[in-house]
Amino acid sequence: MTQPDTQIRTLIVDDEPHALQIIRKYAANVPELEVIGTCSNAMQAAQVLRQQAVDLLFIDIKMPGLLGTDLVRSLKNPPKTVFTTAYHEYAVEGFNLDAVDYLVKPIPLNRFLRAVDKVMHALRGDRAPAVYAQPRETPVQPAARHYLYLRIDRQSIKVDTADIHWIESVRDYIRVVTKEKTYMTKQKISVAEKLLPMGRFLRVHRSFIIPVDSVEGYNPNYVIVAGKKVPIGRNYKQACQEHFGPGGETAE
């Protein structure tokens, strides 16, 4: 099984060239995923699985010759599997095969990234964070530990998201500032945003994401995190006001 600090060897299977291209394009935005190949049908995929180690399988269900579900069912030790399909009715069968997730086409990027996040948790042996917010009357449980994996110098660096002060976009890179260290990695900030635990981080500017529980001060133009003034972008003011309140002048 893949360990948390190695890349996830990924095989993509779909008989639709466009769908295959979309998944491959999405995967290219996630440094932890190493796409080792693509297949246009389940028989080709079976051959690849016999010849290579695969950690993660993105596979369409309804394909000519052999269904994706039939292929997975035939495997003695299947890799972590995410089914992709245009048909909702296959969902139950997919989950009966212990699929990590089930994506309905057309697949939006944020939904793809949530599936990848679930896979990372499954490979580490812990539970993925809940997708939906808890009702207000439900007692708040301690937040599960969550990690961001950054591809740096051909290795995957594990960063505890509880240690992050802020994430800053620098052209095609992001700067992840933590309590102990600062990391630079080639990744879009929009991708990093989707991989962070829901409800614990907030995009306050096109170039900044901050952990909401670490905010030391707030006014309509900036938040203070770890002593730094982080600007609030025009398009993010309403979201910040809804989260932090009207705000006022913050003492220096």
Side-chain angles (χ1 to χ4, degrees), residues 50-126:
R50 284 194 298 267
Q51 296 173 346
Q52 300 188 54
V54 175
D55 305 309
L56 171 59
L57 183 64
F58 282 97
I59 186 167
D60 189 18
I61 292 179
K62 194 171 182 180
M63 293 183 290
L66 181 67
L67 296 179
T69 45
D70 289 340
L71 170 61
V72 173
R73 189 179 292 107
S74 72
L75 300 174
K76 185 175 180 181
N77 295 302
K80 299 299 181 187
T81 301
V82 175
F83 285 114
T84 63
T85 183
Y87 304 94
H88 291 270
E89 59 265 30
Y90 288 109
V92 174
E93 184 179 6
F95 284 115
N96 284 341
L97 292 171
D98 294 325
V100 177
D101 210 342
Y102 179 95
L103 303 178
V104 178
K105 301 174 184 178
I107 303 167
L109 175 60
N110 65 334
R111 187 64 184 86
F112 172 85
L113 292 172
R114 280 166 56 192
V116 171
D117 195 37
K118 289 182 182 181
V119 169
M120 290 180 181
H121 281 269
L123 289 171
R124 292 197 303 268
D126 56 17

Side-chain angles (χ1 to χ4, degrees), residues 169-187:
S169 175
V170 184
R171 294 182 181 171
D172 293 332
Y173 290 76
I174 56 170
R175 178 184 291 121
V176 181
V177 179
T178 73
K179 296 175 183 177
E180 302 293 334
K181 195 171 180 179
T182 297
Y183 303 92
M184 287 285 290
T185 184
K186 190 170 184 179
Q187 189 176 87

Side-chain angles (χ1 to χ4, degrees), residues 4 6-10 12 22-36 56 58 108-120 123-124 147-152 155-156 172 174 185-196:
T6 62
Q7 282 193 293
I8 300 170
R9 294 170 58 82
T10 304
I12 306 169
I22 288 292
I23 295 294
R24 181 152 201 165
K25 179 180 178 181
Y26 286 172
N29 284 314
V30 183
E32 293 78 18
L33 299 185
E34 177 190 1
V35 177
I36 63 166
L56 171 59
F58 282 97
L109 175 60
N110 65 334
R111 187 64 184 86
F112 172 85
L113 292 172
R114 280 166 56 192
V116 171
D117 195 37
K118 289 182 182 181
V119 169
M120 290 180 181
L123 289 171
R124 292 197 303 268
Y147 300 94
L148 193 63
Y149 293 84
L150 306 176
R151 190 70 179 166
I152 300 173
Q155 60 180 324
S156 190
D172 293 332
I174 56 170
T185 184
K186 190 170 184 179
Q187 189 176 87
K188 294 180 180 179
I189 194 170
S190 58
V191 173
E193 182 180 14
K194 299 298 190 302
L195 293 173
L196 292 167

